[in-house]
Amino acid sequence: MIRITPYGAAGEVTGSAYLLETDEATILVDFGMFQGDKDDDARNVVPGRVHRADVHAVLLTHGHLDHSGRLPLLVRDGYRGPIYCTAATRDITEIILNDAAHIQESDFERKQRRAQRGGRKLSRTDEPLYDHEDVEQTLGQMVVSEYSTAIQVARGVSAVFHEAGHLLGSTSLEVRIRDGEGERIVVFSGDLGPLHLPYLRDPEPPRKADVIVLESTYGDRDHRSLEETLVEFEKIIVDAVERKGKIFIPSFAIGRAQQIMYHIADLVRRKRIPSVPIFLDSPMAIKADAVYRKHTELFDTESASMVDNGQLRHDLRGLRVCVTADESKAINEEQGPFIVIAGSGMCTAGRIMHHIRNSISDPKAHFVIVGYQARGSLGRKLVDGVAGVKVFGEYHNVRAQIHTLGGFSAHAGQTELVEWCSAVAQSGVSSILLTHGEDDARLALRKKLEHRLGVVGYMPTYSEHCEV
Ligand SMILES: [Zn+2]
């Protein structure tokens, strides 16, 4: 028997978690946080069935919060077994989980102050989900594994990590399960990157599978091409520099910020834009940079050689990092042209909020949106062209120029998903489970895959047992 039960990312893109049960072992693949909805706190728990299961091992595909964010809850719940992942995933998860614990603790303190003022008592649901100690314990249980090497993870179960090209250290998982005299293979795609993402190697699909669990974030479309996006990006910078304007780029700290800097370096090197000051105004992105520098062995050959021969550092000679709040505030005194990269990526918190307050009414300022903006976020409002925004309780007219660039995704588009899945399924596959995507995306991908492979993908719901 092999049974796969999703406890998240079924018909949506966050909360990735799969319980994989065999006759001999119970494995958890990813245990991510639900994000983006105000009701998510109630869903960020260890589901009863996972709680009762005797989990023998956890396999973590990559460090993003929506794949790793519930692990400290599992540990708090008493799990003391191994969490297998790559070395870079361990390092990235350390930054991400500590940041999550920090956000929860400061939210809790804010609620406490408010409750004290109002003479109210806090309820249990107001408490942080976990703290830094839980995170430390979780990190201590991580067992670092190499790419492309089979490791025994539980009785009758071994696993191989394959490059997923989505984030530094990201993987697709090939899980080999003893089945009588033979073996069955379940492949979890994890989040898949597009081809040619800066720094990262392209995804390397496993060559064989009986069952594929496939992400479908962009199952219904292909992205705007990176070439077109870079041409637009270049034009924005050139125009802004000519008018001595300020350019602000709200960005996720890990992955996206490094990608944007890489493209800026490339434009400088090709003399498409002049070298201007670039402020990396994000303590988390600075930490992520250190992880990238530590793991250059994972870079594609082009990036590795540009790091080795100092080319990248030369191209980014305008880079200044702002660790402290004072360094961040000092940017206000600077005259343009310059570029600021700051979090959060959806303008919901972080230092970008100060830059929005100070510059959103300046017609010479440019805000360049380079990532996904969830409904309800301030970033989404800017994309939608609102006339004014409220920041720190004050209303500001939007007079800055807002640009939206759609081609920087770290997820494979529809065509790339189909190609990846076809490569894995080349010697025949019995089932495909479509997860990590909204239903429109899953349906569109299912249709494409049926046409290409003759297999009808299944679309499981939360906690649905899938016998495969
Ligand atoms: Zn991811």
Side-chain angles (χ1 to χ4, degrees):
M1 178 223 45
I2 298 175
R3 183 158 62 197
I4 300 169
T5 312
Y7 287 99
E12 59 188 325
V13 295
T14 68
S16 277
Y18 307 95
L19 199 65
L20 170 66
E21 295 165 281
T22 74
D23 291 330
E24 299 177 278
T26 302
I27 312 276
L28 190 61
V29 175
D30 288 348
F31 202 38
M33 205 175 249
F34 290 98
Q35 288 174 278
D37 203 308
K38 58 182 184 312
D39 302 326
D40 283 342
D41 277 359
R43 298 204 292 164
N44 282 321
V45 293
V46 179
R49 209 181 137 73
V50 177
H51 165 75
R52 285 187 299 277
D54 189 7
V55 174
H56 296 104
V58 176
L59 303 172
L60 177 60
T61 60
H62 68 289
H64 277 148
L65 190 68
D66 64 318
H67 292 256
S68 67
R70 274 189 287 169
L71 287 172
L73 284 179
L74 187 72
V75 167
R76 211 176 175 147
D77 195 53
Y79 178 69
R80 289 292 176 268
I83 300 168
Y84 293 98
C85 61
T86 63
T89 292
R90 192 216 156 276
D91 292 344
I92 283 177
T93 307
E94 179 173 4
I95 302 175
I96 285 184
L97 291 184
N98 274 315
D99 182 63
H102 174 73
I103 290 172
Q104 291 170 41
E105 285 169 11
S106 23
D107 277 354
F108 177 63
E109 284 162 18
R110 195 171 328 119
K111 282 180 198 163
Q112 260 182 330
R113 283 196 298 272
R114 211 178 295 153
Q116 264 166 7
R117 280 200 302 271
R120 282 178 292 112
K121 270 206 164 141
L122 287 179
S123 70
R124 269 202 65 183
T125 53
D126 290 320
E127 281 175 28
L129 291 171
Y130 48 81
D131 58 23
H132 288 286
E133 257 176 60
D134 300 313
V135 172
E136 274 312 300
Q137 174 69 37
T138 306
L139 295 169
Q141 286 172 231
M142 289 189 165
V143 178
V144 164
S145 313
E146 299 292 324
Y147 278 94
S148 312
T149 309
I151 40 165
Q152 188 75 29
V153 296
R155 269 181 71 136
V157 182
S158 64
V160 184
F161 288 104
H162 294 263
E163 179 61 65
H166 162 72
L167 173 73
L168 197 71
S170 69
T171 60
S172 301
L173 275 171
E174 175 187 342
V175 184
R176 300 174 186 164
I177 299 161
R178 184 162 63 201
D179 187 30
E181 293 297 293
E183 181 180 75
R184 296 190 75 209
I185 299 176
V186 180
V187 166
F188 292 85
S189 70
D191 285 2
L192 291 170
L195 298 175
H196 316 310
L197 210 56
Y199 296 112
L200 305 184
R201 299 176 299 201
D202 286 341
E204 282 166 15
R207 289 292 159 187
K208 212 175 152 212
D210 297 293
V211 179
I212 301 174
V213 182
L214 178 63
E215 73 120 317
S216 46
T217 318
Y218 290 102
D220 54 350
R221 65 195 124 132
D222 283 324
H223 302 297
R224 196 178 165 80
S225 86
L226 184 60
E227 288 74 26
E228 285 172 276
T229 303
L230 287 175
V231 169
E232 273 181 80
F233 191 40
E234 172 189 325
K235 193 173 172 310
I236 295 163
I237 299 176
V238 168
D239 286 353
V241 169
E242 264 174 21
R243 296 187 181 84
K244 301 204 175 344
K246 304 172 179 180
I247 302 168
F248 299 94
I249 308 178
S251 170
F252 296 109
I254 300 178
R256 185 57 46 86
Q258 288 73 34
Q259 182 188 5
I260 295 299
M261 286 193 290
Y262 183 99
H263 291 311
I264 293 172
D266 180 58
L267 291 171
V268 170
R269 181 165 55 254
R270 294 193 284 119
K271 299 200 165 43
R272 308 298 306 182
I273 61 168
S275 173
V276 293
I278 307 158
F279 296 95
L280 183 59
D281 189 16
S282 160
M284 203 167 156
I286 295 164
K287 281 185 202 157
D289 266 13
V291 173
Y292 269 67
R293 280 199 304 276
K294 183 176 162 192
H295 291 289
T296 50
E297 80 282 0
L298 299 179
F299 287 4
D300 59 26
T301 34
E302 194 187 345
S303 310
S305 78
M306 283 197 300
V307 169
D308 279 349
N309 63 23
Q311 178 73 51
L312 209 56
R313 192 177 310 156
H314 176 72
D315 299 333
L316 288 173
R317 56 195 174 277
L319 183 66
R320 301 195 219 161
V321 295
C322 304
V323 179
T324 66
D326 283 341
E327 285 168 335
S328 174
K329 281 181 199 149
I331 300 173
N332 295 333
E333 312 303 322
E334 296 280 336
Q335 302 293 321
F338 60 72
I339 300 171
V340 176
I341 300 171
S344 72
M346 296 196 281
C347 308
T348 47
R351 291 182 179 175
I352 194 69
M353 303 309 284
H354 298 272
H355 298 302
I356 294 175
R357 180 185 60 193
N358 296 333
S359 297
I360 198 74
S361 301
D362 173 6
K364 270 167 66 178
H366 298 253
F367 284 80
V368 187
I369 307 292
V370 295
Y372 178 76
Q373 305 298 314
R375 210 169 287 136
S377 64
L378 201 153
R380 177 67 162 263
K381 288 179 186 147
L382 293 178
V383 169
D384 289 344
V386 292
V389 288
K390 225 175 167 187
V391 183
F392 302 130
E394 282 170 33
Y395 184 84
H396 301 268
N397 288 314
V398 177
R399 296 214 181 85
Q401 300 180 49
I402 313 293
H403 312 269
T404 308
L405 297 181
F408 288 128
S409 181
H411 278 275
Q414 185 190 59
T415 306
E416 288 158 327
L417 288 172
V418 171
E419 290 305 323
W420 185 91
C421 192
S422 305
V424 181
Q426 57 187 311
S427 54
V429 62
S430 58
S431 347
I432 299 174
L433 303 185
L434 297 172
T435 60
H436 201 289
E438 290 174 2
D439 279 351
D440 289 350
R442 294 203 286 181
L443 279 166
L445 186 60
R446 180 165 79 167
K447 213 165 151 195
K448 285 275 172 191
L449 288 173
E450 186 183 355
H451 182 70
R452 175 76 171 259
L453 302 171
V455 179
V456 180
Y458 188 69
M459 297 171 32
T461 54
Y462 180 92
S463 80
E464 180 180 348
H465 299 313
C466 306
E467 305 254 351
V468 293

